[in-house]
Amino acid sequence: MRQLTCHLVLVLSPKGKTSQKSSNLKEYGLLCMKILRGCVQLLSEGKINALNVGNLVLIAKEAFHCLQKTKLHHHPVQLALEKLLYHITSHLLKTNFFADALTFAEYLKSELHLTVLENRDNEFNSICKQAHNQLWKSCISLQKSSKLSISKHELVLNARQLALSILLLTNHDRKWIVEAFVRTSIDFEQHVHKDPGRHTTLCSFFKNVMSDLLSSDFKSRIKCCTEEDDFDRLICPVIEVTVQFTKCCILGNNHVSIIDSFELLSGILQNNQWSSDVLTSLTYLRAVVSLMRTLLEGSKTDERHSTSGTKKKGKKIQLPKCSLLNAFAKDSQSVKKAMEKGQYRIAPLSCLAEGLELFRKLQENFSKPSEYLSQPACTVLSTLHLYIDILTHMKQYYIACDEEDKGLNGKSVSQVYQRTLSRLLSSLNLMSSIHLQQLRELTNSVDTDLVSDASWVVHRMDEIVSGVSEGCGGALSVDEHRWLGNNVK
């Protein structure tokens, strides 16, 4: 190994590239390819011990770095280097050199990313999909092997992110990949829920995911979109990740990580060159990004008593005041106008629903609405009204779907319908809590508008409970029937 390193140092040193002739650099490139082939051969035989595998890894790394220095003078056969990096990654995973395997998987991803879209043929897709499968299977094996430490869970998180990023380079369904990203983050959080640094780790995770989703490949593909369906298939998964990323940034009190993503997305969505065919989708998606910006800019941590009623102090999220929510009002008005005209697009509408669900959940962090309403609750209630209108349309949409059709996140239509119904009831419940607080704060005067709004909420709750009882779809627990029944009578 020492002899090889000394041989390659002429190229790897800072002045090595400029001091060597192009013919010599080409020879070094050929030598490095031979070294990598030799490493693959030795690893595939499986006859070397762990110490020698470690030395082999160091040699392979040196050879790869040397190849990066000789690229202008040595051009390997298309995908030749990628195949070698894949085989090294695969063999290292099989020999439980997990961290080193991830290093070579990163090398593989960087090389695959350089392949222009026109040259991404079946062979290219095969390498990507096999690399994804090997990394994913190894994560499953690692999780089953023993009780994992937080650092190993982070290793699994990084490996899965890398596997999905490589798969993202293919023509695989982006929606499925994004859902896998989200499931990966949820799985990680469930395993390390006691770790105070989990949100910081997830912010880093989603930052890398967004970087991959908004890569030059994405920009090239989306520029070619003229049909709404194609546009939605590309952009909606990115918006879904943006909502999850925003949530992590708020909970982790990290307001910097996502700024670049916001700027890139705003630049894409505000572009005036889009055809009229995608304007409806743009209306909904611009509103999502606007809402996420508003929630992020208005959030902060505050040491208060937790909402559970215990005396233990902890971090609590402060949502934007009404003045900040006004920044979202312009986009929400555009959404309302589109809905009034019957311009519905279920994919971008679902993205907006996810953003508004985050808004609702963060609102519920407060034990008293008066804690966060600096003025009458008109702006907050207006936002919740919009959310209820969207959920109502989505509920009707799923009623019209066949049960064989698949809903969001790979669930059946009945499952997605039930989730929509639950969110609708939760939103109405939050509105009723706000109205109840307002009614309690009234002195001698009677606010007819407030009474009318409160009656509307009660009427909507009654409609839903009656609809479920009459077999119109969905289900309520016994406690929900009892509580809602008491509330609406």
Side-chain angles (χ1 to χ4, degrees):
M1 177 188 166
R2 188 179 292 109
Q3 290 177 341
L4 277 172
T5 303
C6 292
H7 195 62
L8 297 177
V9 76
L10 294 173
V11 178
L12 291 171
S13 63
K15 297 181 180 179
K17 184 178 177 182
T18 56
S19 64
Q20 296 293 315
K21 294 180 180 179
S22 60
S23 59
N24 290 341
L25 289 171
K26 183 176 180 181
E27 290 178 7
Y28 275 112
L30 291 169
L31 173 63
C32 291
M33 289 295 288
K34 289 180 180 179
I35 292 172
L36 290 176
R37 288 191 192 97
C39 291
V40 172
Q41 179 68 30
L42 289 171
L43 287 169
S44 63
E45 291 174 356
K47 296 179 181 179
I48 54 177
N49 57 35
L51 177 61
N52 288 332
V53 171
N55 289 332
L56 208 64
V57 166
L58 293 176
I59 293 171
K61 286 180 181 178
E62 295 286 352
F64 176 78
H65 292 311
C66 184
L67 274 172
Q68 302 309 298
K69 297 273 189 176
T70 64
K71 268 187 175 181
L72 293 176
H73 306 278
H74 170 249
H75 305 286
V77 176
Q78 186 176 337
L79 297 179
L81 176 57
E82 288 84 345
K83 289 177 182 177
L84 292 173
L85 293 173
Y86 162 73
H87 286 299
I88 292 174
T89 301
S90 179
H91 288 305
L92 289 176
L93 288 172
K94 291 174 183 176
T95 51
N96 295 322
F97 279 75
F98 203 82
D100 289 317
L102 293 190
T103 300
F104 280 91
E106 286 282 2
Y107 296 162
L108 173 60
K109 176 191 167 185
S110 65
E111 292 298 316
L112 289 167
H113 194 270
L114 295 175
T115 305
V116 295
L117 290 174
E118 293 77 14
N119 293 336
R120 296 185 181 181
D121 53 13
N122 291 336
E123 191 175 18
F124 175 91
N125 289 335
S126 178
I127 294 172
C128 291
K129 290 174 181 178
Q130 287 183 56
H132 164 265
N133 290 339
Q134 290 292 334
L135 287 166
W136 203 267
K137 288 177 182 177
S138 296
C139 289
I140 295 173
S141 299
L142 184 61
Q143 284 186 313
K144 290 180 178 178
S145 60
S146 60
K147 186 176 181 181
L148 299 182
S149 62
I150 290 175
S151 60
K152 283 191 176 181
H153 280 299
E154 290 181 3
L155 198 63
V156 170
L157 180 73
N158 293 334
R160 286 181 169 167
Q161 186 262 320
L162 183 55
L164 292 168
S165 296
I166 291 174
L167 190 61
L168 199 60
L169 298 173
T170 70
N171 53 4
H172 200 282
D173 181 20
R174 294 176 70 88
K175 181 174 175 56
W176 183 92
I177 295 174
V178 162
E179 289 165 0
F181 275 129
V182 174
R183 288 196 303 271
T184 296
S185 68
I186 293 172
D187 182 67
F188 172 78
E189 190 164 16
Q190 287 175 342
H191 282 100
V192 299
H193 63 277
K194 294 183 179 179
D195 177 28
R198 67 188 184 281
H199 293 303
T200 301
T201 303
L202 284 173
C203 280
S204 177
F205 168 79
F206 278 116
K207 185 175 183 178
N208 291 333
V209 171
M210 287 297 289
S211 177
D212 290 325
L213 288 173
L214 294 171
S215 66
S216 56
D217 294 348
F218 170 80
K219 294 172 185 174
S220 300
R221 287 174 178 173
I222 202 164
K223 282 180 182 177
C224 301
C225 289
T226 55
E227 300 292 332
E228 270 192 312
D229 288 341
D230 294 334
F231 181 80
D232 290 351
R233 271 193 293 269
L234 273 176
I235 193 69
C236 287
V238 180
I239 301 297
E240 289 174 19
V241 170
T242 303
V243 174
Q244 297 298 323
F245 193 3
T246 304
K247 175 184 174 183
C248 286
C249 288
I250 291 174
L251 296 177
N253 198 26
N254 182 342
H255 302 161
V256 179
S257 296
I258 199 172
I259 298 300
D260 290 341
S261 299
F262 277 148
E263 295 301 326
L264 283 169
L265 274 175
S266 296
I268 292 169
L269 296 176
Q270 299 299 335
N271 192 330
N272 294 324
Q273 297 179 354
W274 291 114
S275 69
S276 57
D277 294 330
V278 301
L279 291 181
T280 301
S281 294
L282 283 172
T283 298
Y284 293 123
L285 298 176
R286 286 169 180 165
V288 184
V289 176
S290 175
L291 178 60
M292 293 303 100
R293 275 185 178 274
T294 300
L295 294 180
L296 187 72
E297 290 170 5
S299 65
K300 64 181 180 180
T301 54
D302 188 18
E303 293 293 329
R304 297 186 186 180
H305 292 292
S306 63
T307 57
S308 61
T310 62
K311 294 185 178 180
K312 185 179 179 180
K313 288 188 176 183
K315 287 185 178 180
K316 185 178 178 183
I317 304 303
Q318 175 73 38
L319 277 190
K321 303 285 187 180
C322 287
S323 58
L324 274 174
L325 280 176
N326 285 334
F328 170 65
K330 182 179 178 181
D331 292 292
S332 65
Q333 286 300 321
S334 298
V335 169
K336 289 176 184 177
K337 288 179 182 178
M339 293 176 67
E340 287 170 1
K341 294 177 182 178
Q343 297 172 343
Y344 294 108
R345 296 288 302 171
I346 192 62
L349 200 62
S350 298
C351 291
L352 182 52
E354 290 300 319
L356 289 165
E357 175 66 8
L358 174 61
F359 168 79
R360 180 192 66 79
K361 284 183 177 179
L362 292 174
Q363 290 286 347
E364 289 180 344
N365 277 314
F366 297 91
S367 55
K368 294 181 181 179
S370 58
E371 289 181 359
Y372 61 91
L373 294 176
S374 58
Q375 299 189 14
C378 56
T379 312
V380 175
L381 289 172
S382 175
T383 304
L384 289 172
H385 261 293
L386 174 64
Y387 186 30
I388 288 169
D389 289 342
I390 290 172
L391 290 173
T392 301
H393 172 74
M394 291 175 66
K395 185 165 75 80
Q396 296 302 319
Y397 173 84
Y398 292 124
I399 288 174
C401 288
D402 294 330
E403 183 56 37
E404 289 76 18
D405 295 338
K406 287 293 180 180
L408 299 177
N409 299 324
K411 296 180 180 178
S412 66
V413 172
S414 59
Q415 288 175 309
V416 181
Y417 179 86
Q418 179 62 48
R419 184 185 66 180
T420 304
L421 189 70
S422 298
R423 288 181 173 185
L424 194 54
L425 286 171
S426 298
S427 301
L428 288 166
N429 181 37
L430 177 58
M431 290 184 74
S432 68
S433 298
I434 295 173
H435 285 314
L436 186 61
Q437 180 69 21
Q438 289 176 314
L439 289 168
R440 285 172 178 167
E441 291 175 357
L442 286 177
T443 53
N444 296 326
S445 59
V446 177
D447 189 332
T448 54
D449 290 336
L450 175 57
V451 173
S452 176
D453 289 342
S455 300
W456 177 85
V457 172
V458 172
H459 179 67
R460 289 301 302 273
M461 281 186 169
D462 187 32
E463 280 183 343
I464 293 171
V465 174
S466 299
V468 173
S469 301
E470 293 168 6
C472 295
L476 296 175
S477 67
V478 174
D479 288 339
E480 284 176 319
H481 265 297
R482 185 183 298 116
W483 189 88
L484 290 168
N486 288 340
N487 243 19
V488 300
K489 289 182 180 178

